Amino acid sequence: MTRLDPPPTEAAPRPVVRLPVRRGAVTMRIALPPLERFAGPDALALSALALFLTGFGLLMVLSASSVEEAGVAGDPYGDFATQGVAAVLGVGAMLVVATRLRPAALLRLAPIAFAASVGLQVLTATTPLGTSIGGNQNWIRIAGVSVQPSEFVKLSLVLALAAFFQRRPGERLGVKGLLPPLLLSAVAIGAVYLGHDLGTCLILALIAVGGFMFGGVRLPVLGVLGVGAAAVLWGFAQANASRTDRLAAWSAGCTDLLGTCWQTKQAEWALANGGLTGVGIGNSVSKWFWLPEADNDFIAAVIGEETGLLGLAVLIGCFVAVAVVCIRIAGRTSDRFTRAAAGMTLAWLVGQAFANLAVVVGVAPVFGVPLPFVSAGGSSLIATLLLVGVLMALADRTVAASPRHPEHPAGRAFAGRS
């Protein structure tokens, strides 16, 4: 009998034990385009300097104005809020102009902007629509907002003079050939002088000199124009008793501590109190109703008191860097429009900054010009940021495109010669 093996039985399925697996977080990679697609190195450097100075200015306006605004208006953040809104609008306008506005459009825009800004300035200075502050009638209210048209006259003068030198080589012009830009400068200065703002007139004259120098005007012609401009401005200074008193007090060494020299001496004492490292941001003594215009024309004194000599050195270094960038832009292009605009930007921003500092330290008499990007004033901040946007657009085109590009002013000049 054969032994039968038991039928094979199927093995029971083994239970599957799922071990916990730690899953990594879901990540997404966003590839940003390189900065070179937005702007060249000079334009990026200029925008970085402008943004830093604007941010630093907001901080110092808050510190310098909070005490006076709390005591007078009851709102310590009033000036800071206004300046913040102007900063947002100005930075937005700067970026739009730098990335969207073509240089060829600036040539078409220049005469329109000049006529509009000068017309608004004349309306402000000669009609009841204007507002007088400190003896200067240079403000007008538009839709409930106070605007200073003279700041936009500066910007339009830059565009108008740059457009002229783009069409007419300055090195070929004598005094007679320069009558059109001289007339433009005289109209701008005269419109601002109607509002009795000598400080802005001086900056407009400085802008014109920068345009003539970088536009290629010969040195002998510049010398003749400089002597004539100095004589005119000296006549303007002597035409007002208040200005004459300030000039006399400054030339005599500023001994009238309780009168004409009060503001200058308070600024000097604020700088002395700051020393090397300052008393700390927010701890200024001079802003407690001692120093007039602490958040505007004399904000550098508060900066020196709160951040010391080191803080002022950083501030001065930023404006020196702006000068270097403007010179680089002017030196790297054969386009006369860009070169003249860079020279006038240098004269406006850097020249006005050092004029303001000269007044604060007592090297120059008081004539009232704000510190660019830093002093309180929405019109001034927006105008200077627009100027930076214009130069960024020109610098970007100069670096990224050949001067023979049809959209570039130099390209059209080249096409005309070929």
Side-chain angles (χ1 to χ4, degrees), residues 114-202:
F114 185 80
S117 61
V118 170
L120 186 59
Q121 172 61 29
V122 172
L123 190 68
T124 301
T126 60
T127 68
L129 297 175
T131 303
S132 180
I133 300 176
N136 297 338
Q137 188 164 329
N138 279 325
W139 289 265
I140 188 172
R141 296 194 68 83
I142 300 176
V145 179
S146 181
V147 179
Q148 190 175 1
S150 59
E151 293 295 331
F152 299 98
V153 172
K154 298 177 187 177
L155 179 61
S156 66
L157 181 62
V158 170
L159 296 177
L161 293 183
F164 173 83
F165 285 113
Q166 195 276 329
R167 298 182 176 95
R168 301 287 300 276
E171 58 270 12
R172 301 178 186 175
L173 300 177
V175 175
K176 184 177 180 180
L178 289 173
L179 286 179
L182 285 175
L183 181 61
L184 290 173
S185 305
V187 168
I189 293 173
V192 173
Y193 187 73
L194 288 175
H196 309 291
D197 187 357
L198 182 61
T200 303
C201 291
L202 292 173

Side-chain angles (χ1 to χ4, degrees), residues 20-364:
V21 178
R22 186 175 182 181
R23 296 182 178 181
V26 178
T27 59
M28 297 180 63
R29 292 183 179 181
I30 300 176
L32 295 177
L35 288 177
E36 289 78 6
R37 290 187 56 183
F38 295 102
D42 292 330
L44 290 175
L46 188 62
S47 64
L49 289 167
L51 292 175
F52 172 79
L53 287 170
T54 300
F56 181 69
L58 285 173
L59 176 63
M60 295 313 303
V61 166
L62 174 61
S63 175
S65 66
S66 57
V67 173
E68 184 174 354
E69 286 296 303
V72 176
D75 181 10
Y77 305 107
D79 281 357
F80 171 73
T82 302
Q83 191 77 353
V85 171
V88 171
L89 294 176
V91 170
M94 178 189 77
L95 296 177
V96 169
V97 170
T99 57
R100 300 297 181 186
L101 192 63
R102 297 179 178 180
L106 294 172
L107 288 172
R108 298 190 294 268
L109 182 63
I112 301 173
F114 185 80
S117 61
V118 170
L120 186 59
Q121 172 61 29
V122 172
L123 190 68
T124 301
T126 60
T127 68
L129 297 175
T131 303
S132 180
I133 300 176
N136 297 338
Q137 188 164 329
N138 279 325
W139 289 265
I140 188 172
R141 296 194 68 83
I142 300 176
V145 179
S146 181
V147 179
Q148 190 175 1
S150 59
E151 293 295 331
F152 299 98
V153 172
K154 298 177 187 177
L155 179 61
S156 66
L157 181 62
V158 170
L159 296 177
L161 293 183
F164 173 83
F165 285 113
Q166 195 276 329
R167 298 182 176 95
R168 301 287 300 276
E171 58 270 12
R172 301 178 186 175
L173 300 177
V175 175
K176 184 177 180 180
L178 289 173
L179 286 179
L182 285 175
L183 181 61
L184 290 173
S185 305
V187 168
I189 293 173
V192 173
Y193 187 73
L194 288 175
H196 309 291
D197 187 357
L198 182 61
T200 303
C201 291
L202 292 173
I203 302 304
L204 286 169
L206 191 61
I207 291 172
V209 170
F212 293 153
M213 289 183 63
F214 283 79
V217 178
R218 293 169 294 169
L219 287 178
V221 179
L222 281 176
V224 174
L225 296 178
V227 171
V232 172
L233 291 174
W234 177 258
F236 283 171
Q238 297 297 316
N240 183 279
S242 175
R243 299 192 197 107
T244 305
D245 292 341
R246 290 201 298 267
L247 284 171
W250 172 75
S251 61
C254 240
T255 57
D256 183 14
L257 302 184
L258 299 180
T260 308
C261 297
W262 172 269
Q263 200 170 21
T264 302
K265 287 302 179 182
Q266 291 296 329
E268 292 179 4
W269 292 340
L271 294 173
N273 186 40
L276 180 63
T277 59
V279 297
I281 294 179
N283 296 326
S284 169
V285 176
S286 60
K287 67 183 180 183
W288 287 82
F289 302 98
W290 292 101
L291 178 63
E293 301 295 336
D295 63 337
N296 198 331
D297 297 345
F298 279 78
I299 196 170
V302 178
I303 294 173
E305 185 178 9
E306 295 189 347
T307 65
L309 180 61
L310 295 179
L312 279 180
V314 172
L315 182 68
I316 293 172
C318 288
F319 283 105
V320 172
V322 170
V324 171
V325 173
C326 290
I327 293 172
R328 277 176 52 88
I329 293 173
R332 296 177 63 187
T333 179
S334 59
D335 176 20
R336 292 188 296 269
F337 187 91
T338 302
R339 189 164 55 241
M344 287 182 281
T345 301
L346 169 63
W348 178 357
L349 299 182
V350 182
Q352 182 171 319
F354 282 94
N356 176 276
L357 293 172
V359 170
V360 170
V361 300
V363 175

